[in-house]
PDB file of all heavy atoms in Angstrom:
ATOM      1  N   VAL A 847     -60.110  -5.368  32.204  1.00 96.00           N
ATOM      2  CA  VAL A 847     -60.976  -4.818  31.160  1.00 96.00           C
ATOM      3  C   VAL A 847     -60.627  -5.508  29.841  1.00 96.00           C
ATOM      4  O   VAL A 847     -59.453  -5.603  29.469  1.00 96.00           O
ATOM      5  CB  VAL A 847     -60.777  -3.293  31.035  1.00 96.00           C
ATOM      6  CG1 VAL A 847     -61.666  -2.732  29.932  1.00 96.00           C
ATOM      7  CG2 VAL A 847     -61.058  -2.610  32.373  1.00 96.00           C
ATOM      8  N   GLN A 848     -61.639  -5.986  29.101  1.00 95.00           N
ATOM      9  CA  GLN A 848     -61.402  -6.697  27.843  1.00 95.00           C
ATOM     10  C   GLN A 848     -62.277  -6.130  26.727  1.00 95.00           C
ATOM     11  O   GLN A 848     -63.491  -5.980  26.892  1.00 95.00           O
ATOM     12  CB  GLN A 848     -61.698  -8.199  28.002  1.00 95.00           C
ATOM     13  CG  GLN A 848     -60.671  -8.933  28.847  1.00 95.00           C
ATOM     14  CD  GLN A 848     -60.972 -10.415  28.945  1.00 95.00           C
ATOM     15  OE1 GLN A 848     -61.811 -10.835  29.720  1.00 95.00           O
ATOM     16  NE2 GLN A 848     -60.299 -11.204  28.121  1.00 95.00           N
ATOM     17  N   GLY A 849     -61.636  -5.814  25.630  1.00 94.00           N
ATOM     18  CA  GLY A 849     -62.368  -5.367  24.457  1.00 94.00           C
ATOM     19  C   GLY A 849     -62.738  -3.903  24.499  1.00 94.00           C
ATOM     20  O   GLY A 849     -62.786  -3.265  25.555  1.00 94.00           O
ATOM     21  N   GLU A 850     -63.042  -3.363  23.299  1.00 94.00           N
ATOM     22  CA  GLU A 850     -63.283  -1.930  23.183  1.00 94.00           C
ATOM     23  C   GLU A 850     -64.519  -1.493  23.961  1.00 94.00           C
ATOM     24  O   GLU A 850     -64.526  -0.413  24.583  1.00 94.00           O
ATOM     25  CB  GLU A 850     -63.429  -1.547  21.707  1.00 94.00           C
ATOM     26  CG  GLU A 850     -63.626  -0.052  21.504  1.00 94.00           C
ATOM     27  CD  GLU A 850     -63.705   0.328  20.042  1.00 94.00           C
ATOM     28  OE1 GLU A 850     -63.371  -0.515  19.172  1.00 94.00           O
ATOM     29  OE2 GLU A 850     -64.091   1.480  19.747  1.00 94.00           O
ATOM     30  N   ALA A 851     -65.560  -2.296  23.953  1.00 95.00           N
ATOM     31  CA  ALA A 851     -66.795  -1.896  24.640  1.00 95.00           C
ATOM     32  C   ALA A 851     -66.540  -1.698  26.134  1.00 95.00           C
ATOM     33  O   ALA A 851     -66.960  -0.688  26.731  1.00 95.00           O
ATOM     34  CB  ALA A 851     -67.890  -2.942  24.407  1.00 95.00           C
ATOM     35  N   GLN A 852     -65.874  -2.679  26.761  1.00 96.00           N
ATOM     36  CA  GLN A 852     -65.572  -2.545  28.184  1.00 96.00           C
ATOM     37  C   GLN A 852     -64.616  -1.380  28.439  1.00 96.00           C
ATOM     38  O   GLN A 852     -64.711  -0.686  29.457  1.00 96.00           O
ATOM     39  CB  GLN A 852     -64.968  -3.851  28.717  1.00 96.00           C
ATOM     40  CG  GLN A 852     -65.949  -5.001  28.803  1.00 96.00           C
ATOM     41  CD  GLN A 852     -65.344  -6.228  29.479  1.00 96.00           C
ATOM     42  OE1 GLN A 852     -64.332  -6.140  30.182  1.00 96.00           O
ATOM     43  NE2 GLN A 852     -65.972  -7.384  29.254  1.00 96.00           N
ATOM     44  N   MET A 853     -63.704  -1.149  27.502  1.00 96.00           N
ATOM     45  CA  MET A 853     -62.761  -0.040  27.665  1.00 96.00           C
ATOM     46  C   MET A 853     -63.501   1.296  27.695  1.00 96.00           C
ATOM     47  O   MET A 853     -63.177   2.187  28.498  1.00 96.00           O
ATOM     48  CB  MET A 853     -61.728  -0.050  26.533  1.00 96.00           C
ATOM     49  CG  MET A 853     -60.719  -1.181  26.630  1.00 96.00           C
ATOM     50  SD  MET A 853     -59.641  -1.258  25.176  1.00 96.00           S
ATOM     51  CE  MET A 853     -58.827   0.317  25.261  1.00 96.00           C
ATOM     52  N   ARG A 854     -64.505   1.448  26.842  1.00 96.00           N
ATOM     53  CA  ARG A 854     -65.240   2.706  26.806  1.00 96.00           C
ATOM     54  C   ARG A 854     -66.028   2.930  28.103  1.00 96.00           C
ATOM     55  O   ARG A 854     -66.083   4.038  28.634  1.00 96.00           O
ATOM     56  CB  ARG A 854     -66.173   2.736  25.591  1.00 96.00           C
ATOM     57  CG  ARG A 854     -65.410   2.837  24.281  1.00 96.00           C
ATOM     58  CD  ARG A 854     -66.327   3.031  23.083  1.00 96.00           C
ATOM     59  NE  ARG A 854     -65.532   3.166  21.864  1.00 96.00           N
ATOM     60  CZ  ARG A 854     -64.928   4.292  21.480  1.00 96.00           C
ATOM     61  NH1 ARG A 854     -65.072   5.397  22.216  1.00 96.00           N
ATOM     62  NH2 ARG A 854     -64.218   4.341  20.365  1.00 96.00           N
ATOM     63  N   VAL A 855     -66.624   1.864  28.611  1.00 96.00           N
ATOM     64  CA  VAL A 855     -67.349   1.975  29.889  1.00 96.00           C
ATOM     65  C   VAL A 855     -66.373   2.342  31.012  1.00 96.00           C
ATOM     66  O   VAL A 855     -66.638   3.240  31.827  1.00 96.00           O
ATOM     67  CB  VAL A 855     -68.086   0.659  30.208  1.00 96.00           C
ATOM     68  CG1 VAL A 855     -68.666   0.709  31.623  1.00 96.00           C
ATOM     69  CG2 VAL A 855     -69.179   0.400  29.185  1.00 96.00           C
ATOM     70  N   ALA A 856     -65.251   1.645  31.060  1.00 96.00           N
ATOM     71  CA  ALA A 856     -64.256   1.904  32.107  1.00 96.00           C
ATOM     72  C   ALA A 856     -63.703   3.320  31.998  1.00 96.00           C
ATOM     73  O   ALA A 856     -63.496   4.006  33.022  1.00 96.00           O
ATOM     74  CB  ALA A 856     -63.126   0.878  32.012  1.00 96.00           C
ATOM     75  N   PHE A 857     -63.465   3.796  30.777  1.00 97.00           N
ATOM     76  CA  PHE A 857     -62.935   5.142  30.565  1.00 97.00           C
ATOM     77  C   PHE A 857     -63.883   6.181  31.172  1.00 97.00           C
ATOM     78  O   PHE A 857     -63.462   7.076  31.924  1.00 97.00           O
ATOM     79  CB  PHE A 857     -62.754   5.387  29.065  1.00 97.00           C
ATOM     80  CG  PHE A 857     -62.119   6.696  28.715  1.00 97.00           C
ATOM     81  CD1 PHE A 857     -60.745   6.821  28.588  1.00 97.00           C
ATOM     82  CD2 PHE A 857     -62.902   7.833  28.501  1.00 97.00           C
ATOM     83  CE1 PHE A 857     -60.165   8.041  28.260  1.00 97.00           C
ATOM     84  CE2 PHE A 857     -62.332   9.054  28.176  1.00 97.00           C
ATOM     85  CZ  PHE A 857     -60.957   9.156  28.058  1.00 97.00           C
ATOM     86  N   ASP A 858     -65.182   6.055  30.843  1.00 96.00           N
ATOM     87  CA  ASP A 858     -66.162   7.018  31.359  1.00 96.00           C
ATOM     88  C   ASP A 858     -66.271   6.945  32.882  1.00 96.00           C
ATOM     89  O   ASP A 858     -66.381   7.976  33.567  1.00 96.00           O
ATOM     90  CB  ASP A 858     -67.531   6.773  30.721  1.00 96.00           C
ATOM     91  CG  ASP A 858     -67.552   7.112  29.233  1.00 96.00           C
ATOM     92  OD1 ASP A 858     -66.672   7.891  28.792  1.00 96.00           O
ATOM     93  OD2 ASP A 858     -68.431   6.589  28.508  1.00 96.00           O
ATOM     94  N   GLU A 859     -66.276   5.719  33.412  1.00 96.00           N
ATOM     95  CA  GLU A 859     -66.401   5.565  34.869  1.00 96.00           C
ATOM     96  C   GLU A 859     -65.193   6.161  35.592  1.00 96.00           C
ATOM     97  O   GLU A 859     -65.332   6.765  36.665  1.00 96.00           O
ATOM     98  CB  GLU A 859     -66.555   4.081  35.223  1.00 96.00           C
ATOM     99  CG  GLU A 859     -67.916   3.507  34.822  1.00 96.00           C
ATOM    100  CD  GLU A 859     -68.042   2.031  35.156  1.00 96.00           C
ATOM    101  OE1 GLU A 859     -67.006   1.398  35.507  1.00 96.00           O
ATOM    102  OE2 GLU A 859     -69.162   1.497  35.062  1.00 96.00           O
ATOM    103  N   ILE A 860     -64.012   5.990  35.035  1.00 96.00           N
ATOM    104  CA  ILE A 860     -62.810   6.564  35.646  1.00 96.00           C
ATOM    105  C   ILE A 860     -62.914   8.087  35.683  1.00 96.00           C
ATOM    106  O   ILE A 860     -62.669   8.727  36.721  1.00 96.00           O
ATOM    107  CB  ILE A 860     -61.552   6.113  34.877  1.00 96.00           C
ATOM    108  CG1 ILE A 860     -61.252   4.642  35.182  1.00 96.00           C
ATOM    109  CG2 ILE A 860     -60.339   6.985  35.243  1.00 96.00           C
ATOM    110  CD1 ILE A 860     -60.124   4.057  34.348  1.00 96.00           C
ATOM    111  N   LEU A 861     -63.299   8.691  34.553  1.00 96.00           N
ATOM    112  CA  LEU A 861     -63.412  10.154  34.519  1.00 96.00           C
ATOM    113  C   LEU A 861     -64.477  10.647  35.496  1.00 96.00           C
ATOM    114  O   LEU A 861     -64.266  11.626  36.223  1.00 96.00           O
ATOM    115  CB  LEU A 861     -63.732  10.623  33.105  1.00 96.00           C
ATOM    116  CG  LEU A 861     -62.658  10.411  32.039  1.00 96.00           C
ATOM    117  CD1 LEU A 861     -63.052  11.112  30.752  1.00 96.00           C
ATOM    118  CD2 LEU A 861     -61.303  10.911  32.508  1.00 96.00           C
ATOM    119  N   ASP A 862     -65.633   9.984  35.523  1.00 95.00           N
ATOM    120  CA  ASP A 862     -66.710  10.408  36.427  1.00 95.00           C
ATOM    121  C   ASP A 862     -66.262  10.304  37.889  1.00 95.00           C
ATOM    122  O   ASP A 862     -66.515  11.220  38.692  1.00 95.00           O
ATOM    123  CB  ASP A 862     -67.954   9.550  36.201  1.00 95.00           C
ATOM    124  CG  ASP A 862     -68.620   9.831  34.856  1.00 95.00           C
ATOM    125  OD1 ASP A 862     -68.300  10.870  34.251  1.00 95.00           O
ATOM    126  OD2 ASP A 862     -69.436   8.986  34.408  1.00 95.00           O
ATOM    127  N   SER A 863     -65.638   9.187  38.253  1.00 96.00           N
ATOM    128  CA  SER A 863     -65.206   8.991  39.640  1.00 96.00           C
ATOM    129  C   SER A 863     -64.164  10.020  40.045  1.00 96.00           C
ATOM    130  O   SER A 863     -64.219  10.586  41.150  1.00 96.00           O
ATOM    131  CB  SER A 863     -64.644   7.575  39.824  1.00 96.00           C
ATOM    132  OG  SER A 863     -65.640   6.604  39.637  1.00 96.00           O
ATOM    133  N   CYS A 864     -63.212  10.276  39.166  1.00 95.00           N
ATOM    134  CA  CYS A 864     -62.128  11.197  39.509  1.00 95.00           C
ATOM    135  C   CYS A 864     -62.622  12.633  39.608  1.00 95.00           C
ATOM    136  O   CYS A 864     -62.170  13.404  40.459  1.00 95.00           O
ATOM    137  CB  CYS A 864     -61.006  11.086  38.480  1.00 95.00           C
ATOM    138  SG  CYS A 864     -60.099   9.528  38.598  1.00 95.00           S
ATOM    139  N   ARG A 865     -63.585  12.993  38.756  1.00 95.00           N
ATOM    140  CA  ARG A 865     -64.129  14.353  38.848  1.00 95.00           C
ATOM    141  C   ARG A 865     -64.987  14.516  40.096  1.00 95.00           C
ATOM    142  O   ARG A 865     -65.051  15.601  40.685  1.00 95.00           O
ATOM    143  CB  ARG A 865     -64.927  14.663  37.581  1.00 95.00           C
ATOM    144  CG  ARG A 865     -64.005  14.961  36.396  1.00 95.00           C
ATOM    145  CD  ARG A 865     -64.722  14.959  35.070  1.00 95.00           C
ATOM    146  NE  ARG A 865     -63.788  15.303  33.980  1.00 95.00           N
ATOM    147  CZ  ARG A 865     -63.971  15.006  32.710  1.00 95.00           C
ATOM    148  NH1 ARG A 865     -65.059  14.321  32.346  1.00 95.00           N
ATOM    149  NH2 ARG A 865     -63.085  15.364  31.803  1.00 95.00           N
ATOM    150  N   ALA A 866     -65.658  13.434  40.499  1.00 96.00           N
ATOM    151  CA  ALA A 866     -66.404  13.492  41.756  1.00 96.00           C
ATOM    152  C   ALA A 866     -65.447  13.577  42.948  1.00 96.00           C
ATOM    153  O   ALA A 866     -65.745  14.227  43.951  1.00 96.00           O
ATOM    154  CB  ALA A 866     -67.305  12.255  41.882  1.00 96.00           C
TER     155      ALA A 866
END
Side-chain angles (χ1 to χ4, degrees):
V847 179
Q848 289 182 280
E850 182 177 347
Q852 290 186 19
M853 288 173 62
R854 291 187 178 280
V855 172
F857 184 90
D858 292 339
E859 289 179 349
I860 287 173
L861 294 188
D862 290 344
S863 295
C864 289
R865 284 167 178 158

